DNA sequence: GGCATCGGTGAACGGTGTTCACAGAGTTGA
DNA sequence: TCAACTCTGTGAACACCGTTCACCGATGCC
């Protein structure tokens, strides 16, 4: 059964260990502490050996970012298992709160994945291939998709979104519909008007904005109690989509 | 008149040159390229000499961040001079668009100032003293303040914001009122209800969120035309505050 | 003028990413 | 079985980096 040769197994194990130690260094001492030599030291090998696994430090950081996205997706999905499948509102709360909780608990990872310029973390983003937040984005998209599928949109309000945005939003609309369909729920493009797509985009702007501001401490005043502010924002977002505000 | 001694003048000149070169390195090659030795090399001096001016590399980066905030404030203010003083809506557009334009043109500076964790850029943020975005924040606060002073708020809607937020928002409320008063416009705390303060906070969340997402390329889909999306968001924000939507 | 202070130097220490020739173990095929 | 080959790791080396320290010359002050 185990087709893998001995060498392949050892290699895979070493690779996992490299990422594990790199991750630990990132968490405990920040991005600049993720050093090839430090990683090698922890593994009891020498730094050049790491080049058998990654092209460069930057390459390693890139793979690390991918790992982080995957783990975040797993964590967000795990927080979803106790929610009744038909209570989409509760699912939205769970995912959004999970995202904030994770970001605050893992600020270094958050900064690496969600606040890195192209020059400091290779080419990524949704322009070309291999977008960093791919695995992670899927979680959000799925919940957003379910939200749509479960809820009849008020009615056609496409004319409320500026014409210049139509092209972009239609792309995202297709992504959303595809994501939902991929989960087995058959949905037509028609149920998701452009204004809803626009609103989802704006929701991501607000969720990301709040979390990043909190992680980086850039609110314009000292917020002693950010959690109810976040919850209030979520309630507002859901309210604008026609959902009632549930308890925490 | 020139009280400064020769040594002091030379010192000030060297200091300016240090920051200038550090800034150039940051802009052109990113944060990691801001190296004491590289700066010294450009100035024709040796690296240890820089320790006569800054305690460490981190200290220099911190001062650099302050400079950037000041410059950004100057730039935003400069974009305000051509706007009629009574057209507050136009002022809001000018400042918000200026912020986005600056961030996109200076991604490295934006990342340093607005997306740095405490461990990577010393202690800052609105918790203790010397908040990084102080100079910059003032510009936004001023415009927001004018917006309020010039516009009668609908009416008391303080009950629409959750009780847990009242304490935090009251602090910000006072900051806003003080900022406006400091500009000569006498304003009472009464004209600015808590819901308006909450809305201003949310506006900052959205503005920051959109700009950061765009700078870091983390929108969930490839946005080919982000500018109208930003403008549309601004119009929405202003609309929710009871302002009409003006042309660009 | 004497003297303290300030700004800059050069050497040094320990750290970094990266390259390269080399060695040893694992694998493969005749 | 054993030679050939591939893969993983090594050690030395290069060019950088932040930081410390003793030293030195010019500047400024009494």
């Amino acid at each position: 059964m185990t087709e893998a040769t001995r060498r392949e197994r050892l290699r895979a194990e070493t690779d996992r260990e490299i990422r594990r130690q790199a991750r630990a260094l990132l968490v405990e001492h920040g991005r600049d502490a993720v050093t090839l030599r430090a990683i090698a030291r922890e593994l009891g090998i020498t730094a050049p050996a790491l080049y058998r696994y990654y092209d460069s430090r930057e390459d390693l950081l890139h793979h690390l970012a991918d790992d982080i996205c995957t783990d975040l997706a797993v964590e967000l999905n795990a927080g979803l298992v106790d929610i009744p499948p038909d209570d989409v509102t509760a699912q939205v709360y769970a995912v959004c709160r999970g995202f904030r909780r994770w970001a605050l608990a893992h600020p270094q990872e958050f900064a690496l994945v969600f606040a890195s310029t192209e020059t400091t973390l290779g080419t990524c983003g949704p322009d070309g291939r291999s977008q960093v937040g791919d695995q992670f984005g899927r979680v959000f998209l799925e919940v957003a998709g379910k939200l749509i599928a479960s809820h009849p949109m008020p009615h056609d309000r496409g004319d409320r979104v500026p014409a210049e945005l139509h092209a972009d939003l239609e792309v995202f609309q297709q992504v959303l519909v595809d994501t939902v369909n991929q989960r087995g729920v058959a949905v037509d493009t028609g149920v998701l008007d452009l204004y809803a797509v626009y609103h989802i985009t704006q929701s991501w702007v607000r969720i990301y904005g709040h979390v990043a501001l909190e992680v980086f401490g850039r609110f314009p005043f000292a917020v002693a109690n950010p959690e109810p502010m976040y919850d209030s924002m979520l309630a507002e977002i859901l309210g604008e989509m026609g959902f009632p505000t549930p308890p925490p």
Side-chain angles (χ1 to χ4, degrees), chain A:
Chain A
M1 197 55 194
T2 162
E3 291 281 358
T5 165
R6 164 179 167 77
R7 197 138 68 176
E8 284 170 333
R9 272 184 288 114
L10 287 182
R11 180 182 175 83
E13 177 59 33
T14 305
D15 190 21
R16 269 193 300 276
E17 202 62 19
I18 290 172
R19 299 183 188 213
R20 222 173 57 85
Q21 295 295 347
R23 190 75 165 273
L25 287 168
L26 176 65
V27 170
E28 288 189 53
H29 302 102
R31 185 202 155 106
D32 290 353
V34 182
T35 271
L36 294 187
R37 288 189 139 100
I39 297 168
R41 215 177 294 131
E42 297 290 328
L43 295 206
I45 61 177
T46 60
L50 297 177
Y51 283 83
R52 303 296 179 189
Y53 297 83
Y54 300 95
D55 287 343
S56 64
R57 179 180 119 101
E58 197 182 320
D59 185 37
L60 171 59
L61 282 176
H62 209 285
H63 281 84
L64 208 56
D66 280 344
D67 278 8
I68 291 169
C69 284
T70 306
D71 287 8
L72 172 56
V74 169
E75 185 168 325
L76 292 185
N77 270 320
L80 234 37
V81 295
D82 291 334
I83 315 285
D86 56 341
D87 191 350
V88 186
T89 303
Q91 291 181 26
V92 172
Y93 267 96
V95 168
C96 294
R97 281 172 173 162
F99 178 58
R100 171 174 173 272
R101 189 188 317 277
W102 174 87
L104 292 174
H106 306 78
Q108 305 289 355
E109 283 105 318
F110 176 82
L112 180 69
V113 175
F114 292 102
S116 288
T117 54
E118 281 79 8
T119 48
T120 60
L121 188 64
T123 308
C124 48
D127 38 9
R129 322 266 109 239
S130 99
Q131 172 180 359
V132 156
D134 204 344
Q135 294 290 338
F136 154 77
R138 213 173 293 273
V139 182
F140 256 100
L141 290 186
E142 262 180 34
V143 174
K146 282 191 210 159
L147 194 77
I148 296 152
S150 76
H151 193 70
M153 285 298 142
H155 35 289
D156 193 59
R157 306 155 298 180
D159 52 346
R160 284 173 58 180
V161 15
E164 300 107 310
L165 298 181
H166 283 195
D168 277 336
L169 290 177
E170 274 161 11
V171 173
F172 189 34
Q173 182 182 41
Q174 199 55 51
V175 173
L176 276 168
V177 170
D178 288 351
T179 307
V180 177
N181 282 335
Q182 209 167 326
R183 284 287 278 191
V185 188
V187 160
D188 189 24
T189 315
V191 305
L192 182 60
D193 72 345
L194 276 191
Y195 186 76
V197 177
Y198 174 74
H199 197 279
I200 288 173
T201 306
Q202 281 299 301
S203 303
W204 171 235
V205 167
R206 295 171 77 171
I207 290 163
Y208 172 87
H210 177 108
V211 170
L213 284 175
E214 209 177 324
V215 169
F216 297 135
R218 293 298 186 281
F219 270 109
F221 58 105
V223 183
N225 228 3
E227 191 159 322
M229 184 178 291
Y230 189 66
D231 281 353
S232 160
M233 184 183 73
L234 293 182
E236 213 169 72
I237 289 173
L238 281 168
E240 288 166 13
M241 295 187 82
F243 286 87
T245 81

